[in-house]
Structure formats: structure tokens, C-alpha cells
Amino acid sequence: MDQVISSLKASQSQALDELFEFLRIPSVSADSQFKPAMQQCADFVLKAMQAAGLTAEIITTKGHPIVYGERIEDASLPTVLIYGHYDVQPPDPLDLWTTPPFEPQIRDGKVFARGATDDKGQVFTHLKSLQACIDVNGKLPVNVKFLIEGEEEVGSDNLDKFLEQSKDRLKADIAVISDTSQYGDGIPAITYGLRGIVAAEVRLTGPSKDLHSGVYGGSIANPANAIAALCGSLVDATGRVQIPGFYDDVAELTEAEKQQFEALPFSESEFLNEIGSGAVFGEDGYSTLERRWTRPTCDINGIVSGYTGEGPKTIVPSKASAKITCRMVPNQNPEKILDSLETFLRDQCPAGLKFEFLRFHGCEGFVLDPTSPWISAASEAVEAAFGKSPVFIREGGSIPVVSSFQQILGIDTLLLGWGRNTDNLHSPDEHFHVEDFHNGTLASAYLWEKLGAVKAS
Amino acid sequence: MDQVISSLKASQSQALDELFEFLRIPSVSADSQFKPAMQQCADFVLKAMQAAGLTAEIITTKGHPIVYGERIEDASLPTVLIYGHYDVQPPDPLDLWTTPPFEPQIRDGKVFARGATDDKGQVFTHLKSLQACIDVNGKLPVNVKFLIEGEEEVGSDNLDKFLEQSKDRLKADIAVISDTSQYGDGIPAITYGLRGIVAAEVRLTGPSKDLHSGVYGGSIANPANAIAALCGSLVDATGRVQIPGFYDDVAELTEAEKQQFEALPFSESEFLNEIGSGAVFGEDGYSTLERRWTRPTCDINGIVSGYTGEGPKTIVPSKASAKITCRMVPNQNPEKILDSLETFLRDQCPAGLKFEFLRFHGCEGFVLDPTSPWISAASEAVEAAFGKSPVFIREGGSIPVVSSFQQILGIDTLLLGWGRNTDNLHSPDEHFHVEDFHNGTLASAYLWEKLGAVKAS
């Protein structure tokens, strides 16, 4: 192992050069004018996998191609499924970039480029660590299956189909994704839980056109009043969701988890300052981190009805609609929550209004037992590379692929993020600390060793 | 009086010709390109007043001119303030007119033109009746003060100022306005009550920008949820307004009024069909006509927050706002209602959101004692002209000038509408039945006689 680490340290400059080449390809999946660049980027990834020593191929989809590589050393070793994406967010607005988004540059110890941290830089740490292990030892301490898609930033529309079709081929013991962040500067983290999500839209239709509120007001149901009443009933004044049965399946935090979160450095005033808000608000009895990471929510994401211009307009609107998402925690069932939400709202709809309920694709919450051997292995790897043991955190957002791995392949995921929250993901001047890139590569190398020991132990 | 009526009947064809001249002037107050036409129309009204035998003048305002004429016969006679407007709604969309809006034409016994019923045709009935009375008798049975403004369709911005400045000059015993409708075909009506209105806008501001609902949801107040909760609390599931004290000052209907409304022909299925709605909805214990005419309301006229496009978007919106109007019935105080509304909403605003409450101009409700001698006089006049006694109705809308006459001049208003609800007011193919024009002119002549007798009795 020492030799692998030495080799990686000796080739850091070259690794950066290669990363720059990766970053120069404008692989914007959302914009069809970049379609040739997407193909070029998939080819780059293919060659990088092959150079690392994997057997690799490009898999075409209805959208952008998936690149898949693997190296099976020994059926008795654990098999790790590594996931990443080579597509990036659109770089707009361009004028807010200090240097062009596809001309990577190092300033202040950071690589500036679109995709530097999300997710090319992080993906590249695994490619380089695998290559070093194979170069030095001629083999890996684990079997690896490496899946890099090109549609993460546009919803991964074709990924689940590939997973379904390739269940046997993708069989693995654990998945690894590096597309999250450390907890803070100098605080590496393992994200062991995510919230899931369900999304819906409610549409109410009343009279066939907007009516004069003087002539008709008071005699027919007003869709704007009704959408407000329906949506306003979802969460009470203490922040508690009112959908019947909503909390039935919620797994409460263990005392150990609560203490762990309490021990994390967190400044409420900095948090409020960052988002420009005057006060926190949420369910009684939970800290802000607990509310964000471990409690289910029901948020109105949008609502509209009637006249929204300047001044007053005396109408009873014809239509009203609202977008609703619930963040779910592990153990809550998306279909059950949506069914209960729909019934709860439908039952409150006044006479004379047409009620429609649209469901959008969602995913379940996720939590990995923090005492699992995979977590211990990952923790040791991170500590060996970053010089300190990682903290165990959750995230409030959802990573649908984690849910897909669970649902379709039946495996858990280790979320090992080498980046930082402040890396300007999805914004101008996205960057990745050079130090994080190198440490992440070392952590990745240690990870294969530690994971390889899990089944053997 | 018989001679006046004979004279009016003999000159019906000429009266129509003169009305056509009035209708040919495109006096669109909303559109500055018609400014010369507005002046031309004011001149036309001035000359018509003078031709009728009134002393008249044009009064300039910051906007379009007011035309004012008067004839004081005898201080012992009642003084009637007649109000109307010479401006019209914009005629768009032009392609939906069968014949051009400013080229009046008679088809099927109706005069088609913009302003035919609203309000030039109705105003003209009073001009012609006054002229006939003076021509035949050399004098009027009442003193008249005739005020015709040019900004009714754009909010009458300069009218109240004129009323304030001319309090003494405009001193009168009763006002007459013909800018409403009969109850139905062949059912002439006197409108003795109107609802008032107050209007407000609520704005909530949370985080300084839209936030990721996964990362932040559950830990800060969501302005969209909050605007829904606030607005949803205004009216309960039975249609009852929940603002504290809202019904305290509401004058309940008398048994006589209830019976009167019950006796009116009204088809709920036709009503629902007309507005394209599936069911009526409103306060328990009141009929649809009672709900529309005599009960106060609280309607959301518009609401908006966050994402309102296609599909889901996982945000906690930064802002939310809603427009609210309350229709008020006589005796309710606008300021008191707005104060209570503001407090009610402000008290429910969750921590961390900025609450703003904007007030717009409103007006009080109005009701004229149906047993008043003015009503009896008007009723007799309508019956004499239309051949049947009018029904007594209210309207759910507001006519701000009625409130201004009450507040500023201290006088009640007789709302005597010769038109019909089906005359396409504010729409293409606006029209006025020739029969209604002639009967209205006769009713107007009878009205001066009957009103002249009120004080004497």
C-alpha cells in the first residue's frame, strides 16, 4: 500500500494535467449544441478507464451514453460499484466567471472550471487511485464495477432502465459515490443518510372564466381561497405536518446520532446570515440540523391563482394550482404518503370545484447503519488520507441514484464527498481545492484496501 | 305631463339621431390617443345640456373634463343631482364586433355601439326628458344639477376632489344614476343597495433567494406555506369569514326583503350554466341572491409564490403575496375591517418572515330605505313608463360614486337602470334596446314630476 501511496504522490502533477484535459471538454448535458462534446467526453472516460486497467465500453442510451468499466479480480473479494457522472451543469451566466468555465486554471490552491468538483474532479480521484493500485500491484484488493453516466444534471432519465437491464452484471456488495461534500473546511465527512422526496401538483378549477368578485363573490367556491385552505392545512403553526399517518413510519434518531449531530460545529447565526433569513422555524423538539437532515417536511414549492400584477383586481379566479413536495426520511413509503396527501386534500375541496392531483417521480429516503463494517472501512480510509477521522452526517436532499441502487440492485451506498459546500456547485467560478483532489485520490486508494478487507474479516 | 309625454313620443326618431351623434364620438378615456375625442365629447355634452335648457360649463381636471349643468327653478322644490359618464370602455377586440363600435347601427330593435348602454344611451334619456319638460312647460318640477364625468371607466380619479371643492354648489336632496340594469327582460328594477369593498395585498418575504427544499426544508418558515395558511384561514369550510369582528356591524335583511328576493325569478341551474360552475357555495342559511347582494365576503383575487411552470421544482420560495378583497355590506366600516384583517393575518405570520400589508382605496356599502318616498316616487315613474312596477333589488358590486355622494355630499342615490345585464357592457357588440331607450326617457320625465312632489307631500 505504501508503494501505491508513494506512486500517487509522485504523479500528482500529471494527475492534475489529465484532470484539466477532462475539464476542457464542455460536456453540458442540458444543451443539445454540446452533443458532440458529450460523445467526446464519454470517449475520454472510456480511455481513462482502459488506461487504469479496466475492461470498459460505451453503452448507448436514448440520451447521452453511459461509460461502464469493470475489473473482477476474484469472486471471493467484495465487489464495489462506483458511480459518477461526466456531464456538467450549463456554465451560464458566463460573465460571472473570473476565467472561462472550460479553461481550467489554478488560483489560490483551487482548480477553477465547470465540473471541477461536480463531478469530474471527484470521479477522477477514483480513476487515478485504481490505476495506481493496478500499476503497482498488478491487481486490486476488490472487484470494481465503474458506472459513469452523462445525464445526472438532467434527471438521469435513462439510468434506471440500464440498471434494470443489467442487474446481474452490476451485482455488487456496496456502492461508492463521491458527489457530496465534506462537512466544512478541514472536516471530512461520510454522509450516511439522505431524505427521499415525493412531488405532486394540485389543480382546482372553478368557473369557466374569472368572474367579477362583486357580482358573484360569496355565492360560489373561489379556487384561490380553496387552494390556500388546502395548502395552508398541510403544516400547522408549530411546523408539524398534518397529513394523516404522515409520521407513522418515521424512524426516530438514536441517542447516539443526536449526540453526534450536537457535537458538530454549527452556528445558527451564520446559517441564517447565509440564507438571508431572520429566524429558524420548524418542528418542536428538534435542532436545525436534525430538521434539515432527519425530519420529513411538506413544502409548497409554488402556488398561483388569479391576478398577480400591480394593484388590486376584483375577480374570483377561475383556476388555482400548487406544487407540493414532501421530503421523506427512511422507512416512509412514497406511495403511501402521496395517497394520504391526495385524500387529505381532496376531502377538503369545496363543492363546485374540480380537483386534480398530479404525481411526479420521487424516491425513498436512505440511511446506512453507521455501525456497518463498510462505514468503518470508509472511515479508516478517509482518516488515513485526510489526517483526521471523518464526521458522520446526513443530508436533507435526495440523490435518486442511491434510491435506485437500493431498489433495483439491493445495495447500500457509501457517500464519500471530497468537495466542499462552498465550491460553487452549479454556480459561476465552480472550483475544487487541489488539496481535496489529492487527498481524495489517496482516500480512494485506501478505500479499496479497507473495503477489500471487509468480507475477509 | 301628458304633453311632455306626447312630445317625447313624437320626437323619438330625432332623439335616436342625436344619440347616434353622441355614440359616434370615440370617447375612450383609457387610451391617450383618444384625448381629442374626449374633449369633443365633453363639448357635445355641454351643447346638449344647453340645448335642454340648462346653464352648463366644462370643468377641467387633471384628467378628462367634467361637464356640469344646472337649472334651479325654485328653492322650495327638491333638488336632484343627476350623475352619468360620457367616457366609454376601449372597444377591443375590434374583430369581434359585427359592425364598427363607433358607427352605431340598429339591428333587431337594438342600437349597437360602444357606450350604447354604458353610459351614453342612459345619460341621454335624462337629457332628452329635461329638454322636453322645459320645452313644453317652460320649467321643471324639480331643480336639477347634472354632472357628467369623463373618467368613470378609469377609476374616477378626479371626481372626489371636484365633489369636495363643490360641496355647496352640488347641494341636493337626492341623486339619480342610470348606469345599472333591469333585473331581467321585461322586469324593470330599482337597485336600492350595493356592497362596498376593501382591498389589500399581503407580502411575505423569507430567505433572500429561493432555497433548495432538500437542504433547507423543515428548518425555516416557507413563505408559500405561510401565505396559504394565512389566506386559507380567512373563510371556513362553510363559507363563513373568520376575521375577528367581521360580522359585528352587518345589518341583517328584513323579513320583507327576504320575501322580496325569494319572489324574484331566479334559476340556479341557469346561473351555474352561465358561469360554467358545478355548484353554488356560500354561507349557510342564505340564498344565492342573498349571498351575492347582501352578505359580506372575503375573496382571494390572486396569489403567487415560487415556481409555477411545468413539472416540479424543489425549492423553498423566497417570497409570496396575495391580493384580498372584502365585499362589505351597509354598516360595515372599511377601516375597521382592514385593521382587523391586518391584525388577523399578521398574528399568524411565522417567525423569520417579513410581513407587509398594503391597503388600496375602497368604499362603503350602500342601502336606501326601500320605504323612502324617493323610492316610491321612482317606482311610480318606472311603472308609468314601462307599464309594470319595478322590482327592488340590490347589487353585489360597488359603485364608488354612490359612496362618494353619501360621504362627501351626504345624499342617497336612486339607481335607476334602463339597460339589461345582457347588453354586452364592456364587451364587443355592446347594445341598448331601442325600447329601453324610449321607455327610459319617458320614465325620466315622469321621475322629475314624481320627485318634485316628494317634498310637497
Side-chain angles (χ1 to χ4, degrees):
Chain A
M1 192 64 199
D2 289 351
Q3 272 181 283
V4 172
I5 298 300
S6 304
S7 157
L8 282 171
K9 285 186 175 167
S11 61
Q12 283 182 340
S13 158
Q14 195 197 327
L16 267 179
D17 286 348
E18 290 173 27
L19 172 61
F20 274 35
E21 211 182 311
F22 194 11
L23 293 172
R24 278 192 199 101
I25 307 169
S27 50
V28 179
S29 51
D31 188 340
S32 60
Q33 71 165 299
F34 291 100
K35 211 173 168 199
M38 289 300 296
Q39 186 61 51
Q40 186 195 344
C41 203
D43 291 338
F44 177 92
V45 172
L46 177 78
K47 291 200 184 78
M49 281 186 182
Q50 289 166 338
L54 309 189
T55 308
E57 64 176 304
I58 287 180
I59 291 148
T60 55
T61 73
K62 280 188 180 170
H64 299 299
I66 289 168
V67 190
Y68 178 73
E70 62 178 33
R71 183 172 172 117
I72 309 300
E73 298 288 351
D74 184 331
S76 70
L77 290 173
T79 301
V80 183
L81 175 65
I82 314 164
Y83 164 89
H85 62 95
Y86 66 85
D87 64 324
V88 300
Q89 278 277 315
D92 315 80
L94 288 171
D95 56 332
L96 294 185
W97 285 79
T98 307
T99 47
F102 298 109
E103 298 175 22
Q105 200 196 57
I106 293 176
R107 295 194 301 276
D108 305 326
K110 304 162 197 166
V111 177
F112 285 84
R114 171 58 84 226
T117 188
D118 179 18
D119 184 37
K120 288 176 174 172
Q122 302 212 53
V123 159
F124 216 60
T125 63
H126 296 309
L127 282 166
K128 297 322 290 178
S129 73
L130 291 171
Q131 184 171 19
C133 289
I134 295 164
D135 281 354
V136 171
N137 300 322
K139 61 177 183 172
L140 291 173
V142 288
N143 302 314
V144 295
K145 301 182 174 181
F146 205 155
L147 168 58
I148 305 188
E149 71 155 322
E151 301 191 297
E152 199 269 351
E153 301 293 3
V154 289
S156 299
D157 282 349
N158 298 292
L159 184 66
D160 277 9
K161 195 178 164 195
F162 173 69
L163 297 181
E164 291 283 2
Q165 287 171 341
S166 319
K167 263 188 209 178
D168 288 338
R169 188 180 193 185
L170 298 175
K171 213 164 176 297
D173 298 292
I174 187 78
V176 167
I177 303 179
S178 292
D179 198 15
T180 51
S181 297
Q182 303 181 55
Y183 180 69
D185 281 5
I187 313 177
I190 293 178
T191 304
Y192 73 96
L194 298 169
R195 293 196 289 193
I197 185 170
V198 291
E201 180 172 331
V202 187
R203 293 182 185 166
L204 303 180
T205 310
S208 54
K209 58 183 174 188
D210 294 349
L211 297 178
H212 192 292
S213 71
V215 179
Y216 298 97
S219 69
I220 51 155
N222 176 328
N225 286 59
I227 201 88
L230 266 58
C231 292
S233 73
L234 291 167
V235 180
D236 75 7
T238 72
R240 188 95 179 157
V241 178
Q242 301 296 300
I243 302 167
F246 189 74
Y247 293 97
D248 283 1
D249 302 325
V250 169
E252 289 292 331
L253 285 179
T254 63
E255 207 42 52
E257 283 177 298
K258 276 183 165 285
Q259 283 171 13
Q260 214 168 270
F261 295 159
E262 255 166 55
L264 290 171
F266 178 74
S267 156
E268 200 147 281
S269 62
E270 272 175 36
F271 169 71
L272 289 172
N273 212 37
E274 171 199 329
I275 61 176
S277 190
V280 297
F281 173 86
E283 240 185 311
D284 278 345
Y286 297 92
S287 72
T288 294
L289 283 185
E290 286 168 359
R291 288 168 176 168
R292 291 169 65 191
W293 293 349
T294 71
R295 299 300 301 171
T297 67
C298 183
D299 275 306
I300 311 297
N301 317 108
I303 186 168
V304 68
S305 178
Y307 178 71
T308 59
E310 205 182 321
K313 189 174 183 191
T314 53
I315 53 166
V316 173
S318 163
K319 292 163 191 292
S321 65
K323 316 262 185 196
I324 304 168
T325 49
C326 292
R327 293 286 166 173
M328 292 183 309
V329 296
N331 223 27
Q332 284 185 296
N333 178 282
E335 282 312 308
K336 195 173 152 188
I337 295 295
L338 277 177
D339 289 347
S340 186
L341 171 64
E342 177 171 355
T343 305
F344 182 59
L345 295 176
R346 191 183 291 276
D347 286 352
Q348 294 181 69
C349 184
L353 298 187
K354 184 175 144 204
F355 178 94
E356 290 171 283
F357 189 84
L358 284 70
R359 292 163 184 238
F360 302 113
H361 188 68
C363 74
E364 290 190 12
F366 162 79
V367 70
L368 182 53
D369 178 0
T371 65
S372 103
W374 305 113
I375 291 262
S376 310
S379 180
E380 287 167 22
V382 171
E383 185 170 358
F386 284 82
K388 59 171 70 174
S389 61
V391 294
F392 295 93
I393 62 173
R394 295 205 197 180
E395 272 201 11
S398 312
I399 304 182
V401 66
V402 172
S403 176
S404 296
F405 285 170
Q406 212 168 26
Q407 299 301 306
I408 301 170
L409 306 180
I411 55 171
D412 286 328
T413 299
L414 284 168
L415 294 163
L416 306 174
W418 318 134
R420 305 190 195 186
N421 283 322
T422 50
D423 282 347
N424 288 351
L425 286 83
H426 293 209
S427 299
D429 278 353
E430 177 181 344
H431 56 267
F432 192 24
H433 288 252
V434 174
E435 180 192 4
D436 293 337
F437 173 63
H438 293 319
N439 285 339
T441 307
L442 298 182
S444 176
Y446 284 118
L447 183 67
W448 314 135
E449 186 195 30
K450 304 290 180 186
L451 291 178
V454 167
K455 254 199 183 162
S457 73
Chain B
M1 193 63 202
D2 290 350
Q3 272 182 285
V4 173
I5 298 301
S6 304
S7 157
L8 282 171
K9 286 186 173 167
S11 60
Q12 283 182 341
S13 156
Q14 195 197 326
L16 267 180
D17 286 348
E18 290 174 28
L19 173 60
F20 274 36
E21 212 182 309
F22 195 11
L23 294 172
R24 279 192 199 101
I25 307 168
S27 49
V28 180
S29 50
D31 188 340
S32 60
Q33 69 166 301
F34 292 100
K35 213 175 165 198
M38 289 301 296
Q39 186 62 51
Q40 186 195 342
C41 202
D43 290 338
F44 177 92
V45 172
L46 177 78
K47 290 201 185 78
M49 281 187 182
Q50 288 165 339
L54 308 189
T55 309
E57 65 176 302
I58 288 181
I59 289 147
T60 55
T61 73
K62 280 187 179 171
H64 300 299
I66 289 167
V67 190
Y68 178 73
E70 63 178 33
R71 183 172 172 116
I72 309 301
E73 296 289 351
D74 185 329
S76 70
L77 289 173
T79 301
V80 183
L81 175 63
I82 315 163
Y83 164 90
H85 61 96
Y86 66 85
D87 64 323
V88 300
Q89 279 277 315
D92 316 80
L94 288 170
D95 56 332
L96 295 185
W97 285 80
T98 308
T99 46
F102 299 110
E103 297 176 21
Q105 201 195 57
I106 294 176
R107 295 193 303 276
D108 305 327
K110 302 162 198 166
V111 178
F112 284 83
R114 173 56 87 226
T117 188
D118 179 18
D119 183 40
K120 287 175 175 175
Q122 302 212 53
V123 159
F124 216 61
T125 64
H126 296 309
L127 281 166
K128 297 322 291 177
S129 75
L130 291 171
Q131 184 170 21
C133 289
I134 295 164
D135 281 354
V136 171
N137 299 323
K139 62 177 182 175
L140 292 172
V142 287
N143 302 314
V144 296
K145 299 181 174 181
F146 206 155
L147 168 58
I148 305 187
E149 71 155 322
E151 300 191 300
E152 199 270 350
E153 302 292 3
V154 288
S156 299
D157 282 348
N158 298 292
L159 184 66
D160 278 8
K161 194 178 163 194
F162 173 68
L163 297 182
E164 291 282 2
Q165 287 171 341
S166 318
K167 265 188 207 178
D168 288 338
R169 187 181 193 185
L170 298 175
K171 213 165 177 298
D173 297 293
I174 187 78
V176 167
I177 303 178
S178 293
D179 199 15
T180 50
S181 298
Q182 303 181 57
Y183 180 70
D185 281 5
I187 312 177
I190 294 176
T191 304
Y192 73 97
L194 298 169
R195 293 197 288 194
I197 185 170
V198 290
E201 181 172 332
V202 187
R203 294 183 185 166
L204 303 180
T205 310
S208 54
K209 58 182 175 188
D210 294 350
L211 297 178
H212 192 293
S213 71
V215 179
Y216 298 97
S219 69
I220 51 155
N222 176 328
N225 286 59
I227 201 88
L230 267 58
C231 292
S233 72
L234 290 167
V235 180
D236 74 7
T238 72
R240 188 96 177 155
V241 177
Q242 300 296 300
I243 302 167
F246 189 73
Y247 293 97
D248 282 0
D249 302 325
V250 169
E252 289 291 332
L253 286 178
T254 64
E255 207 41 53
E257 284 177 296
K258 275 184 164 285
Q259 284 171 11
Q260 215 168 270
F261 295 159
E262 257 166 51
L264 291 171
F266 178 75
S267 156
E268 200 146 281
S269 61
E270 272 174 37
F271 168 73
L272 288 173
N273 212 36
E274 172 199 329
I275 61 176
S277 191
V280 297
F281 173 85
E283 241 184 311
D284 279 344
Y286 297 92
S287 72
T288 294
L289 282 184
E290 287 168 359
R291 287 168 177 168
R292 291 169 66 191
W293 293 349
T294 72
R295 298 301 299 171
T297 68
C298 184
D299 274 307
I300 310 298
N301 317 108
I303 187 168
V304 68
S305 180
Y307 178 70
T308 60
E310 205 181 320
K313 189 174 183 190
T314 52
I315 54 167
V316 173
S318 164
K319 290 163 190 292
S321 65
K323 316 262 185 196
I324 304 169
T325 49
C326 293
R327 294 287 166 173
M328 291 183 308
V329 295
N331 225 27
Q332 284 185 296
N333 178 283
E335 284 311 308
K336 196 172 150 187
I337 296 295
L338 277 177
D339 288 347
S340 185
L341 172 63
E342 177 172 355
T343 305
F344 181 59
L345 295 177
R346 191 184 289 276
D347 286 352
Q348 294 182 69
C349 183
L353 298 186
K354 183 173 143 206
F355 178 95
E356 289 172 283
F357 189 84
L358 283 71
R359 293 163 183 237
F360 302 113
H361 189 68
C363 74
E364 291 190 11
F366 162 78
V367 70
L368 183 53
D369 178 0
T371 65
S372 105
W374 305 113
I375 291 263
S376 311
S379 181
E380 288 166 22
V382 171
E383 185 169 358
F386 283 82
K388 58 172 72 175
S389 60
V391 294
F392 295 93
I393 63 173
R394 296 204 195 181
E395 273 201 11
S398 312
I399 304 182
V401 67
V402 172
S403 175
S404 296
F405 285 170
Q406 212 168 26
Q407 300 300 305
I408 301 170
L409 305 179
I411 56 172
D412 285 329
T413 299
L414 285 168
L415 294 163
L416 306 173
W418 319 135
R420 304 188 195 187
N421 282 323
T422 50
D423 282 346
N424 288 354
L425 287 82
H426 293 208
S427 298
D429 278 352
E430 177 180 344
H431 57 266
F432 192 23
H433 288 253
V434 174
E435 180 192 5
D436 292 338
F437 173 63
H438 293 319
N439 285 340
T441 306
L442 299 181
S444 176
Y446 285 118
L447 183 67
W448 315 135
E449 187 195 29
K450 303 291 181 186
L451 292 178
V454 167
K455 256 200 183 162
S457 71

